Amino acid sequence: MNTTLLQEAKDFIISCYKELNKTQDEINERIDAITKQIESTGSYEHTSFEIDYGAKVAWRNSNRCIGRLFWDQMHTFDKRELKTEEEIFEAILEHMSYATNGGRIRPSITVFAPQTENHGIRIWNHQLIRYAGYTTPDGIIGDPASISFTEKCIELGWKPKYGKFDILPIVIQINDHEPKLFELPEDTALEVDIRHPEYEWFEDLQLKWHGVPFISDMALEIGGIRYTAAPFNGWYMGTEIGARNLADEGRYNMLPQIASLMDLDTKSSISLWKDKALVELNIAVLYSFREDGVSIVDHHTAAQQFKKFEEKESEIGRPVTGNWAWLIPPMSPATTHIFHKPYKNDIVKPNYFYQPRAY
Ligand code: ARG
């Protein structure tokens, strides 16, 4: 008898059913059924609403996420019945199209079959949409964060294109089978060309980013059950793109070029050329998404929304946990309330967890 699993299941059922105003009888009945299922099979199956609620609460418990005000507005696709890599890929496309919604992004999650003793599904990609990164004799092309995954894809037969923004294929593995590669059909990934409201030269940099972040390598854990393939998405906060993906030295490293196009003195750091370039890059990201009608939030608004989340939770009497170092935005952090208070980084389940790389 797996007593840890049963205990985790009980903890989840009790808190979930209570939040959903179910009766003590319903709780007892469900726990009896789960106990029997664990006794006879070694595990148990969630109902669809348990998955849906578990996925939402896992978001609510995500200490690094500033966007948690919207935790109960996530759409869940329960796809546990899918067996083949092809079916899983089709479900991924369905998720991407529903979530992208022509730019009016809908937070969504697709939950595939959980890890069991003899069955496991993994999506190898970090995100469903990411740009390839290549090391070449003339230096790195594309996103340096994707280099090792890109190499894997090439090993598996993907044709490298050596562009700055090549969308990587989806790699799906079931059990210890050879992973299967799927190219995203043209137009699946909504992308935004980055331009600036005043600097016309900005578009010559030919920067773009994908509209939707779909995290695909984390495990969703609910009541002791691990969903190792459960891709989910929200919408972007501008700084994720403008202050990290396009700005980090270890990513697209665009600040020196932008600063020099702005005619800033890049010889001396006291000109604050990095800061000035950073602001303009972030203005460009927010402006371009907004103009294309693609959902995005600036970090000041996101912090306000997080404050509202904190207030709502404390009204209900639920302590808010958080990881300060992740919650503060990477630009002007001290202009948000988050910077000025501590957060308890306690891990509460259900939650999303990192898992060992699949490759
Ligand atoms: N920071 C990651 C990226 O830049 C995305 C993480 C999830 N972000 C979100 N807004 N849900 O791609």
Side-chain angles (χ1 to χ4, degrees):
M1 175 70 179
N2 188 336
T3 49
T4 15
L5 177 58
L6 181 59
Q7 193 52 53
E8 300 249 11
K10 281 183 183 169
D11 291 346
F12 168 65
I13 294 299
I14 292 168
S15 72
C16 163
Y17 279 45
K18 282 197 171 149
E19 278 190 32
L20 292 170
N21 292 318
K22 301 211 177 266
T23 64
Q24 191 58 45
D25 282 352
E26 287 174 296
I27 295 179
N28 295 339
E29 238 173 73
R30 182 65 179 125
I31 290 179
D32 279 352
I34 289 175
T35 309
K36 292 206 180 83
Q37 221 189 342
I38 296 179
E39 274 168 356
S40 60
T41 71
S43 190
Y44 75 103
E45 269 176 43
H46 287 127
T47 65
S48 254
F49 88 81
E50 287 166 3
I51 298 248
D52 177 61
Y53 206 69
K56 287 172 172 155
V57 174
W59 183 5
R60 188 176 81 204
N61 289 333
S62 291
N63 289 355
R64 298 169 171 185
C65 178
I66 194 175
R68 285 182 272 164
L69 175 61
F70 305 100
W71 69 272
D72 62 347
Q73 297 168 42
M74 183 167 62
H75 185 83
T76 306
F77 294 98
D78 177 1
K79 296 286 179 180
R80 287 173 293 169
E81 77 279 9
L82 301 188
K83 295 272 176 287
T84 67
E85 296 87 347
E86 287 74 16
E87 289 170 335
I88 290 169
F89 178 63
E90 282 309 312
I92 285 174
L93 291 182
E94 198 189 315
H95 176 154
M96 292 178 82
S97 141
Y98 176 87
T100 305
N101 192 28
R104 280 185 57 86
I105 297 171
R106 295 185 277 214
S108 311
I109 183 167
T110 300
V111 181
F112 295 108
Q115 184 71 46
T116 61
E117 240 170 272
N118 45 29
H119 191 266
I121 308 173
R122 287 294 298 270
I123 299 168
W124 281 21
N125 310 59
H126 161 57
Q127 291 188 29
L128 299 179
I129 309 173
R130 279 261 118 163
Y131 299 118
Y134 314 91
T135 35
T136 76
D138 310 317
I140 293 171
I141 303 176
D143 192 343
S146 299
I147 288 174
S148 63
F149 178 63
T150 305
E151 282 168 359
K152 275 288 159 201
C153 291
I154 295 170
E155 263 175 55
L156 292 168
W158 186 68
K159 287 254 166 312
K161 299 168 189 78
Y162 298 106
K164 270 181 81 166
F165 296 102
D166 301 339
I167 294 176
L168 287 157
I170 303 286
V171 181
I172 301 167
Q173 182 173 33
I174 299 181
N175 302 332
D176 53 4
H177 306 171
E178 178 80 358
K180 287 199 181 163
L181 237 87
F182 299 88
E183 200 73 64
L184 286 174
E186 195 77 22
D187 297 336
T188 305
L190 177 60
E191 297 184 288
V192 177
D193 290 323
I194 309 299
R195 64 272 186 192
H196 190 279
E198 283 130 45
Y199 300 146
E200 276 185 26
W201 48 260
F202 208 97
E203 61 190 83
D204 302 334
L205 293 166
Q206 299 201 23
L207 297 176
K208 61 173 169 178
W209 204 255
H210 52 91
V212 189
F214 297 95
I215 304 292
S216 48
D217 59 356
M218 292 180 88
L220 164 60
E221 194 182 317
I222 304 173
I225 304 287
R226 266 179 102 78
Y227 297 93
T228 52
F232 58 85
N233 75 279
W235 50 75
Y236 265 116
M237 178 163 84
T239 53
E240 298 185 84
I241 302 166
R244 303 297 312 279
N245 302 343
L246 294 177
D248 276 4
E249 280 187 29
R251 299 291 298 285
Y252 280 80
N253 190 24
M254 292 306 300
L255 298 184
Q257 242 175 295
I258 293 170
S260 89
L261 286 160
M262 289 172 70
D263 283 326
L264 300 175
D265 175 12
T266 57
K267 294 280 158 307
S268 152
S269 56
I270 72 159
S271 71
L272 298 189
W273 63 268
K274 282 191 187 177
D275 308 71
K276 283 188 160 175
L278 195 58
V279 170
E280 299 307 334
L281 172 55
N282 279 273
I283 287 173
V285 167
L286 291 167
Y287 169 80
S288 308
F289 270 66
R290 177 57 67 88
E291 219 192 28
D292 282 4
V294 180
S295 307
I296 194 159
V297 65
D298 68 81
H299 48 295
H300 303 290
T301 304
Q304 284 300 312
Q305 292 169 343
F306 189 69
K307 186 140 196 265
K308 188 140 174 238
F309 168 70
E310 294 176 77
E311 287 162 2
K312 272 186 142 179
E313 290 299 295
S314 96
E315 262 168 42
I316 302 170
R318 277 193 300 253
V320 171
T321 56
N323 184 339
W324 186 90
W326 276 66
L327 287 171
I328 56 162
M331 268 181 89
S332 319
T335 64
T336 71
H337 77 286
I338 304 170
F339 185 89
H340 303 278
K341 58 176 283 199
Y343 291 88
K344 261 210 162 101
N345 193 17
D346 295 340
I347 305 303
V348 183
K349 289 178 185 176
N351 215 318
Y352 298 97
F353 293 97
Y354 288 149
Q355 39 188 350
R357 261 200 200 174
Y359 54 93

